[in-house]
Amino acid sequence: MAICNSPGGEATSSSAHADSDLGFSIRRRLGGKVKAVTDLASETVTESVAAVLEAQKLVGEEGSGGDQVESEGQVVRNGENGVADVAANFAYRPSAPAHRRVKESPLSSDAIFRQSHAGLFNLCIVVLVAVNSRLIIENLMKYGLLIRAGFWFSSKSLRDWPLFMCCLTLPIFPLAAFVVEKLAQQKYISEPVVVSLHFIITTAAVLVPVLVILRFDSAVLSGVTLMLFACIVWLKLVSFAHTNYDLRAVAKLIDKGVDLSASLNSDHPYDVNFKSLAYFMVAPTLCYQPSYPRTTCIRKGWVFRQFVKLAVFTGVMGFIIEQYINPLVQNSQHPLKGNFFYALERVLKLSVPNLYVWLCMFYCFFHLWLNILAELLRFGDREFYKDWWNAQTVEEYWRMWNMPVHKWMVRHVYFPCLRNGISKGVSVVIAFIISAIFHELCIAVPCHMFKLWAFIGIMFQVPLVLVTNYLQNKFRNSSMVGNMIFWLFFSILGQPMCVLLYYHDLMNRKETTTDSSLRILNSS
């Protein structure tokens, strides 16, 4: 059948004849012009329907008078008299071929990454919610509600007042560093003296909290908090001293007439300002510069919502730790002294709640808290992390998951090593050694034991970097291999193993200390 539009708006229809059932064509006349639609005999079923719909669309948009084409039901109406089901006549005849070209199954290796898997993703979410809901119910039925009022604060926490006082004295070290830089700016002290004084100040900023924690038998959580503050102060002071050292060197070259405009990316002149240092010490960054990009205002409603999220996710972390992790580690054995398969079962069982806590910690600190702090201080650069969950190698993960530390390492460790003739590989190892030392300090000092588990765990990342880089180069077309290795070794096996090691060593230390105290009392 052909559909024509006459200039006067009168619709006529005529029958089209063909030698075979599939030899039909659709024709239409618009203002005296005839447009032919290709022979449907050579089209697939999908292409036939598409051609019919295209013809209907054209007639519906450009037709006049009583002509109307509706796509619903694939029916073409010519005026008010003629009705024909084009799709049924042309596309679905028994003799029409059902298979026209080579096609892959959606889950085949060649086509799987070209498909949308939104439905499977939704299924995974539903299964995850169902499984974890069952685990929560099973845990509550077995242990009851284990969270007590003294989880966050109790009368025993008052014993940690020396650590609190030590935390309040940490601003003394930035003040001392400012005095040194001010004397250096006025040229009252020489450069070697400046370097020596900064070395003493930065060392004391870490050493004093370590001695206070080791002197007083405080809670592990209080010791970890103080060590984190001390390490942050140390990193900031190193950046402050190193940046001002470089600004002085640049200023001297400019005074000598050297043109550095093409090589410098900084527009900040050398000026030691207390206000800049004070802002830097509380800003969510570890890299000092005299000024930072700033936002125009503080969104109070947004800040309030982030605080609510922070409270909720902190509560979720506390629930998982008290309800799942503590019973698991208390009912476990030392992973290096018991049966291998039993230890492996404990590690795998601990990996799921430990992963949840780690993800909540990341979200609370790197997203919520740092963004709250940035909003209150109107700090503009809020790239505190990148999409580390898509990391294809361990090296990519360490470059993306903690951007403040990564920028500090690149700025004050990696490139200075390269400028001093050290190779890239050795520079990377030096950066990992520094990271391993601080991880060990933040865990071993509050636990009052130095087993070097955290140090070994961080240094084990170096061979993993080599392995995942090799696999990434070998399987260039697949980004899943390195990503799965990262999740397996870092989150599923590595962290639960460290938790078990430190817990049992800590319990052994406490038992040894208690036995020694009892022997002393009995002997007296």
Side-chain angles (χ1 to χ4, degrees), residues 70-369:
E70 297 180 3
S71 61
E72 296 181 2
Q74 297 183 353
V75 175
V76 180
R77 295 182 180 178
N78 188 6
E80 297 180 353
N81 300 321
V83 178
D85 192 344
V86 179
N89 288 337
F90 291 95
Y92 296 109
R93 298 192 66 83
S95 59
H99 306 283
R100 293 281 184 175
R101 58 177 181 268
V102 177
K103 294 182 180 180
E104 293 287 344
S105 298
L107 296 180
S108 62
S109 58
D110 293 334
I112 187 170
F113 294 110
R114 297 196 300 267
Q115 305 295 324
S116 173
H117 304 291
L120 294 177
F121 179 75
N122 294 335
L123 174 63
C124 292
I125 293 178
V126 171
V127 172
L128 188 66
V129 171
V131 171
N132 285 276
S133 299
R134 183 194 65 82
L135 292 176
I136 292 174
I137 295 173
E138 180 183 3
N139 182 273
L140 291 174
M141 293 174 61
K142 183 176 182 180
Y143 299 106
L145 189 63
L146 299 178
I147 295 180
R148 299 293 180 261
F151 175 72
W152 300 109
F153 181 81
S154 65
S155 59
K156 296 181 179 179
S157 301
L158 298 175
R159 297 182 304 178
D160 298 336
W161 66 267
L163 277 66
F164 179 71
M165 297 302 297
C166 180
C167 187
L168 294 180
T169 59
L170 289 178
I172 295 176
F173 301 105
L175 183 61
F178 171 76
V179 173
V180 171
E181 283 299 325
K182 205 66 178 176
L183 294 175
Q185 184 184 22
Q186 302 297 330
K187 298 182 180 180
Y188 291 143
I189 54 178
S190 62
E191 200 66 47
V193 175
V194 173
V195 175
S196 301
L197 291 176
H198 277 305
F199 177 79
I200 295 172
I201 293 170
T202 53
T203 304
V206 173
L207 189 59
V208 170
V210 169
L211 295 177
V212 171
I213 294 173
L214 295 179
R215 173 65 179 82
F216 300 95
D217 191 12
S218 60
V220 175
L221 183 60
S222 301
V224 170
T225 302
L226 178 57
M227 282 307 305
L228 286 176
F229 276 116
C231 292
I232 290 173
V233 170
W234 187 89
L235 294 171
K236 286 177 176 282
L237 291 180
V238 169
S239 180
F240 177 71
H242 197 185
T243 301
N244 281 297
Y245 174 84
D246 189 59
L247 289 175
R248 284 195 300 273
V250 171
K252 291 178 181 178
L253 292 176
I254 293 177
D255 292 339
K256 293 180 180 179
V258 180
D259 185 14
L260 300 176
S261 58
S263 58
L264 287 180
N265 296 323
S266 175
D267 298 328
H268 309 300
Y270 175 56
D271 181 33
V272 181
N273 189 294
F274 181 76
K275 184 178 179 180
S276 298
L277 175 60
Y279 182 85
F280 165 64
M281 294 306 298
V282 296
T285 180
L286 299 176
C287 295
Y288 172 76
Q289 59 192 58
S291 63
Y292 296 92
R294 305 287 293 274
T295 57
T296 56
C297 62
I298 299 175
R299 300 170 292 175
K300 297 180 181 178
W302 184 88
V303 171
F304 175 77
R305 290 193 297 270
Q306 305 312 305
F307 268 117
V308 172
K309 293 179 183 179
L310 183 63
V312 170
F313 279 94
T314 303
V316 170
M317 278 196 298
F319 176 79
I320 296 175
I321 292 172
E322 283 291 283
Q323 203 71 32
Y324 288 92
I325 294 181
N326 283 349
L328 279 174
V329 296
Q330 290 170 4
N331 297 328
S332 64
Q333 299 176 358
H334 197 287
L336 300 182
K337 297 180 180 179
N339 182 271
F340 171 76
F341 291 103
Y342 176 81
L344 181 61
E345 186 270 339
R346 290 286 99 178
V347 168
L348 293 177
K349 191 172 183 179
L350 183 61
S351 63
V352 176
N354 182 82
L355 178 61
Y356 289 163
V357 170
W358 184 66
L359 292 176
C360 287
M361 179 277 301
F362 165 80
Y363 184 73
C364 286
F365 183 76
F366 285 96
H367 183 73
L368 295 177
W369 173 246

Side-chain angles (χ1 to χ4, degrees), residues 392 469-482:
Q392 300 177 12
N469 285 344
Y470 168 78
L471 292 176
Q472 179 63 20
N473 293 329
K474 185 175 181 62
F475 303 100
R476 291 184 179 273
N477 295 329
S478 176
S479 60
M480 298 178 61
V481 178

